[in-house]
Amino acid sequence: MRPHLPGAPDAASRAVARGARDPWADNARLVAATLIVVMHLLEPVLARSSTATGLYWATWPLRVPVFVLVAGYFSDARPLDDRRIVVLLRNVLGVYLVWDLVAFLRRGIVDDLWRYEPASPAFGLWFLLALLWWRLMLPLLVRVRGAGALVWVLALGAGFVPQLGQAFAGSRTFAYLPLFWLGWRLRQRGARGALGTVRARVVGAVGLAVAGGGMLLLSQRFGRGVLRFAGPYGGGWEQQLGEAGLRGLVLALGTVGALGALALVPVTRVPWWTTLGAGSMTVYVVHPVLVQHAKSVRAFDAVREPADLVALVVVGVGLALVLASPPVRAVLRPLVQPRGTWWLAPPPGSSVAGGAPDPASVRGPASAPDPDPASAPAPAPVPAPVRASAAACAPAGFTRPAPAPAPPTVLAPSTAPLSRWHPQRSAAGAPPPRVAVEAIGPGAADAAVPSPDGG
């Protein structure tokens, strides 16, 4: 039996790396993505409805914490290799920049706000930047003793640093770090195998009820700002210490509720549910633009009656399912799940001419470039075995005929065009293994992301 190395993916993660998807994660993502869309639609009317406010607070553990836990579960703690660097740059940072630009263009055209600030994430996009930092930090955290306690110190201590705010999602990156770390630790402990049992479902239901009840109690005393984690604490030291304790309580309830939700969702494939759950990334990046546009045209001013709230919930569920449908995903795939590598530069020390990427850098960690033969030490000569020659064994007067010359080698002219090296193929012409996107809770590329205010 092959030993399991610390930081290496387990069976579920290796299945994702081979292109397969875990139905349990997709089922959980669809629930979280749908709730996120519904809550974003209800946000403009929370001040007019106590029912919507209670629903917003009670379902918070099923939204942000679920995505962060699943993102950590499918993350790799081994040192970054070229393949995973490409995934982070293209499918996390690249997607963030594309949709942040889309949000900027919408604000400029509709609201006449032509101010481009990529360092300050647009509505709902902060999760992608946080995911980038989490996956860069994870290989470092696993080498620190007591990292489980350290992530909580960072989460609570980030509020005491005034410089950590919404810029580059710095405050939220540290605030949600314990949930990300816990997701990774659950994979190391083999928690996936304990799901699907009656005991797990009972414990999950109790945890979800406790978390929901606790969030409802907090909603009676505090505003939605305690769920945002978007900036430092306010007031003097006494108030800041109180806010740090409140943040710890909110994170603890979110952790319990998210674990309960993950224990309750089906672990096997459900035909329509699992299929739509694979499109959570599309739901995440597209719906904020639509919600913001609805706010700009004051579409929520007409929501007054309870029946209007029910209709808004139905619209949110329908919007999430439509955006997650395969036809919509197919149309938006180039902007949501890009696959091109034309932008790659050759790694340092690459021997590939013409500025093309080194094929070994795309094949992954198992395909390191061959060492330079000129720099390799010459092998020691191997003494030839002592044996009688054929001439010595031939009878007297026998002359061995000279070997026939080998036929000349005719090289067929190549029909391939003399163009830039195609990074999708190796030097031998065979396609490399598929570059997989680490899953989110986000596959980073398949996560739905919560709103800037924690929703």
Side-chain angles (χ1 to χ4, degrees), residues 29 99 121-122 141 156 165 176 179-180 194 220 234 239-240 253 268 271 296 314 321 335 359-360 365 411 426 451:
R29 291 190 196 112
W99 287 95
L141 285 174
L156 302 182
Y176 287 105
L179 287 164
F180 184 83
Q220 304 300 319
Q239 181 179 345
Q240 292 182 15
L253 290 175
T268 57
S296 298
V314 173
L321 299 183
L335 299 179
L411 297 178
S426 63
S451 68

Side-chain angles (χ1 to χ4, degrees), residues 428-452:
R434 179 181 177 182
V435 177
V437 177
E438 294 172 283
I440 312 188
D446 293 310
V449 178
S451 68

Side-chain angles (χ1 to χ4, degrees), residues 79-398:
L80 290 176
D81 52 61
D82 289 333
R83 177 187 61 83
R84 289 162 58 213
I85 291 175
V86 169
V87 170
L88 285 177
L89 291 177
R90 179 187 63 194
N91 296 88
V92 180
L93 181 59
V95 172
Y96 165 77
L97 293 175
V98 167
W99 287 95
D100 188 71
L101 180 61
V102 171
F104 160 72
L105 294 176
R106 191 214 64 81
R107 290 194 307 268
I109 296 173
V110 178
D111 302 330
D112 197 24
L113 298 175
W114 295 99
R115 187 174 180 179
Y116 183 50
E117 296 178 323
S120 298
F123 179 74
L125 292 181
W126 66 265
F127 191 90
L128 283 180
L129 281 183
L131 181 66
L132 175 68
W133 306 136
W134 289 330
R135 285 184 167 162
L136 289 175
M137 289 191 293
L138 186 58
L140 305 178
L141 285 174
V142 296
R143 301 303 305 271
V144 178
R145 292 184 182 274
L150 176 62
V151 295
W152 279 97
V153 172
L154 293 175
L156 302 182
F160 295 101
V161 183
Q163 292 77 14
L164 286 177
Q166 296 191 32
F168 299 104
S171 180
R172 291 187 177 102
T173 297
F174 288 106
Y176 287 105
L177 186 58
L179 287 164
F180 184 83
W181 173 262
L182 176 61
W184 179 79
R185 290 295 297 168
L186 290 176
R187 186 194 66 190
Q188 302 302 307
R189 299 285 180 155
R192 176 67 171 82
L195 299 176
T197 63
V198 175
R199 180 180 179 182
R201 296 184 187 280
V202 171
V203 173
V206 172
L208 190 58
V210 170
M215 295 301 295
L216 286 176
L217 292 177
L218 292 178
S219 68
Q220 304 300 319
R221 295 192 56 186
F222 304 98
R224 288 188 296 121
V226 302
L227 304 179
R228 294 178 178 175
F229 308 144
Y233 306 135
W237 279 101
E238 296 81 1
Q239 181 179 345
Q240 292 182 15
L241 289 174
E243 292 186 11
L246 179 60
R247 174 178 292 190
L249 177 60
V250 171
L251 288 174
L253 290 175
T255 302
V256 173
L259 292 175
L262 293 177
L264 289 175
V265 296
V267 297
T268 57
R269 181 175 180 82
V270 180
W272 65 271
W273 187 346
T274 309
T275 300
L276 295 178
S280 58
M281 180 65 167
T282 305
V283 178
Y284 151 58
V285 297
V286 178
H287 92 273
V289 178
L290 302 178
V291 173
Q292 289 295 88
H293 184 72
K295 291 179 181 179
S296 298
V297 299
R298 307 180 68 87
F300 300 99
D301 292 349
V303 179
R304 298 288 180 180
E305 303 297 330
D308 299 332
L309 293 177
V310 175
L312 207 55
V313 171
V314 173
V315 169
V317 173
L319 178 61
L321 299 183
V322 169
L323 292 178
S325 62
V328 175
R329 285 153 46 193
V331 172
L332 297 175
R333 182 171 286 115
L335 299 179
V336 177
Q337 293 176 319
R339 299 177 180 177
T341 52
W342 53 268
W343 49 274
L344 284 176
S350 172
S351 59
V352 178
D358 187 353
S361 68
V362 182
R363 287 197 298 264
S367 303
D370 294 332
D372 185 2
S375 62
V382 179
V386 179
R387 60 182 181 181
S389 64
C393 298
F398 175 79

